[in-house]
Amino acid sequence: MRKIFGLMVILTAFLTSCSPYNLVTSTTYNNADLSDYHTFHIVTPEEGKLPPGMEMVTYYNIAAAIREQMVERGFTEDPASPLLINIGLTIKKELATEPLMQQVPAPAPPAPLPPAPMPPRPLPGHGPHPFPHAWGPAYNGMSPWFMYPRNNYWTVYNPNVQVVTGMYREGVLTMDMVNITDKIPLFSASVGTILDNGDSQFRNLQGIAEAVQTLFSKFPVAVLPQYRGK
């Protein structure tokens, strides 16, 4: 029996080590207790905008995989839930800023104006977000694009925010959980691929299911007993 158990442990470790996905970050914010929530709501394309390069079928497959993980932990999906699950994907920033067509050369830019005086820094948790729409800060030409604009619930002045440089690789999938009623970040996890062209790895059902399972690998609410060992 001990030999069989030992073989199972080795096999499990081997299968885990062969996964093309790695957990970049998994963090609980504001001392949140996710077990206090019993419902959830996954962001829809109508509430935001798909990251450039993400197809609708890819979004639906990611949402379905997240839904399965939440249900297995005892949560119920409800459009009115205060627990919003936002989806983000790190892509090359120029994909979203490059013009669709440029038939004539652009005119020369005017002479630069002297820099404007810096406005007073807002208090923590207040003031506008310095990044447009759903973008986060760019790093090495990469930037996370979130379907629901992150600046609606998260500012750079939030003392809990840490720059996770591992997020700034193409194809990193991020999931935010937010109390959207009170605009309080609760949990965030990111998963990346160790393969090249990470975005392409999220286009098939098996890859998406494995990536989302990795996203939930350190989620603070355990899977219900009836779903363990699936």
Side-chain angles (χ1 to χ4, degrees), residues 106-124:
L113 298 174
M118 290 294 292
R121 177 173 174 152
L123 295 174

Side-chain angles (χ1 to χ4, degrees), residues 55-76:
E55 299 175 358
M56 188 68 73
V57 65
T58 306
Y59 158 77
Y60 282 123
N61 290 337
I62 291 174
I66 291 174
R67 183 177 299 111
E68 181 178 6
Q69 292 289 330
M70 293 296 286
V71 169
E72 289 182 358
R73 288 164 171 80
F75 293 85
T76 302

Side-chain angles (χ1 to χ4, degrees), residues 141-187:
M142 304 292 174
S143 186
W145 177 286
F146 289 86
M147 290 182 59
Y148 187 87
R150 219 181 193 194
N151 56 296
N152 285 356
Y153 58 83
W154 214 328
T155 76
V156 292
Y157 307 108
N158 188 323
N160 288 320
V161 174
Q162 300 176 3
V163 175
V164 182
T165 56
M167 285 181 60
Y168 298 96
R169 304 198 312 267
E170 188 174 8
V172 171
L173 178 67
T174 300
M175 172 184 68
D176 279 353
M177 293 189 182
V178 189
N179 182 326
I180 200 60
T181 302
D182 299 327
K183 302 186 184 303
I184 299 175
L186 306 173
F187 177 81

